[in-house]
Amino acid sequence: MNQSRLYSVRMRASENESHENGGRHISGGELLSSYNELGLSVNTLLEKALNHSRGQPDFLQIQCEVVNQPIKLFNPLTVQTNEVTTVEEGQVLAKFLLEKTGVPKDIIKKAYKEIPEYPVSGAILIDIHTGERVDGRIDKGVRVSRMDWQTGNFNKWARSKADSTNPRLKEALTLATKVTNHKLTIAELCWSDDPDYITGYVASKKLGYQRITQLKQYGDDRGCRIFFVDKLSDINTYMSYLEEQPILIQWEEKHDTRVD
Ligand code: WAQ
Ligand code: MG
């Protein structure tokens, strides 16, 4: 890919109205593309929006814009899969792992109580000292953008880990790697809002990407994405990192780190 002219391509789709007019979020997607591949890239996101288990969109937008900032390269977080047999077991493990990353127990409890109040299309930010939501984007949350993992390098990584080339894992690991590479991110907690996908994860720079095979019941269309952050003195800089800093995942075996 010619990195000198990359485009950020973003898609969002919703039911009834657009997101800002109160529509129900169906699907979103973001990637980086060369100019030559823009047609393909737009099509990839269009297909994602048109064939989604959350339903058919009434509103759909795809936007392309050139990226002018230099691109950071990150090695992907180390992945571990934790098999659980029930949602309850999965959620106990998720809370245990969050505590291990340094999020205090009472803050985890408070965050969980508030999850049903957050039907957003992005992620919400919670301060680990107060438990308060700090992103200020009440209805939509923060959408992490300008990130990608080129297919060739991803497939090489997947082969070496004997893992499937699951596109969801690719998307989520790319996002988690970007988010946890910022020093003020303590941890991320995530499960999908797609009713047919029940695997989720807890991620942090130290723990890596800890998949948990059941974090909700099949058929449930409520998702979760929380970034636990440490006292953001400058919230705008943090949010612009999430939204604007372009990053590519580039796996190099020699940079693999061990998980504690
Ligand atoms: N930035 C911020 N929040 C996002 C973004 C983004 N780019 N993409 C999704 N979200 C939020 C949004 O609120 C969604 O409703 C929620 O996360 C779930 O998104 O097998 O598929 O894309 O290892 O449905 C994780 C496990 C799957 C993958 C997560 O999330 C694996 C998933 P989804
Ligand atoms: Mg989804």
Side-chain angles (χ1 to χ4, degrees):
M1 197 188 286
N2 174 6
Q3 286 195 15
S4 61
R5 260 184 104 66
L6 280 185
Y7 289 74
S8 160
V9 188
R10 291 181 294 161
M11 176 277 286
R12 62 188 175 116
S14 56
E15 194 174 56
N16 292 325
E17 303 279 340
S18 63
H19 297 85
E20 56 274 31
N21 290 327
R24 172 179 171 268
H25 177 67
I26 290 195
S27 160
E30 31 279 305
L31 51 79
L32 293 171
S33 172
S34 65
Y35 186 80
N36 288 342
E37 285 178 345
L38 265 185
L40 264 175
S41 301
V42 167
N43 213 38
T44 303
L45 292 182
L46 180 63
E47 287 296 320
K48 185 178 180 189
L50 296 182
N51 301 296
H52 206 278
S53 61
R54 285 174 66 77
Q56 282 188 5
D58 300 308
F59 172 90
L60 164 59
Q61 185 176 59
I62 299 181
Q63 184 172 323
C64 309
E65 58 195 321
V66 75
V67 166
N68 289 313
Q69 304 98 310
I71 292 155
K72 285 197 165 138
L73 298 180
F74 289 141
N75 216 49
L77 292 175
T78 307
V79 176
Q80 270 184 3
T81 299
N82 302 278
E83 301 275 349
V84 294
T85 52
T86 62
V87 174
E88 291 69 34
E89 194 190 331
Q91 287 293 357
V92 168
L93 178 59
K95 290 173 191 159
F96 171 78
L97 291 170
L98 282 173
E99 236 188 298
K100 233 172 129 178
T101 67
V103 185
K105 209 180 197 138
D106 55 322
I107 302 294
I108 299 171
K109 226 171 155 182
K110 184 168 187 297
Y112 263 86
K113 266 210 198 108
E114 291 169 6
I115 287 173
E117 295 169 23
Y118 303 137
V120 291
S121 54
I124 64 158
L125 271 43
I126 291 185
D127 187 305
I128 63 157
H129 301 282
T130 63
E132 296 297 327
R133 185 171 167 188
V134 292
D135 54 273
R137 304 263 183 89
I138 300 306
D139 298 326
K140 60 185 202 148
V142 187
R143 194 86 199 173
V144 185
S145 190
R146 302 197 170 191
M147 57 191 170
D148 210 339
W149 189 350
Q150 289 175 263
T151 311
N153 186 263
F154 172 72
N155 288 344
K156 200 168 91 181
W157 172 87
R159 271 196 308 273
S160 126
K161 307 289 173 202
D163 223 310
S164 70
T165 49
N166 176 354
R168 266 173 199 284
L169 170 64
K170 178 182 153 186
E171 270 177 27
L173 181 54
T174 301
L175 183 151
T177 300
K178 176 172 181 185
V179 173
T180 57
N181 262 281
H182 193 292
K183 64 178 190 310
L184 296 180
T185 307
I186 304 306
E188 179 188 358
L189 169 66
C190 170
W191 60 87
S192 181
D193 57 356
D194 303 7
D196 55 354
Y197 204 79
I198 61 172
T199 296
Y201 64 88
V202 170
S204 84
K205 190 98 208 264
K206 251 176 46 201
L207 285 185
Y209 180 93
Q210 296 282 344
R211 302 177 80 212
I212 301 172
T213 54
Q214 292 188 47
L215 282 181
K216 68 169 194 187
Q217 306 288 355
Y218 271 111
D220 191 341
D221 70 353
R222 292 166 304 173
C224 167
R225 199 157 229 145
I226 300 178
F227 304 154
F228 290 93
V229 296
D230 186 6
K231 262 206 221 97
L232 296 179
S233 56
D234 184 358
I235 184 121
N236 291 330
T237 307
Y238 182 76
M239 303 235 279
S240 68
Y241 169 79
L242 298 179
E243 294 177 328
E244 286 159 29
Q245 169 66 54
I247 70 108
L248 280 173
I249 304 299
Q250 180 105 52
W251 176 63
E252 289 185 51
E253 190 158 20
K254 62 177 189 294
H255 291 144
D256 270 358
T257 44
R258 283 195 35 201
V259 183
D260 305 338

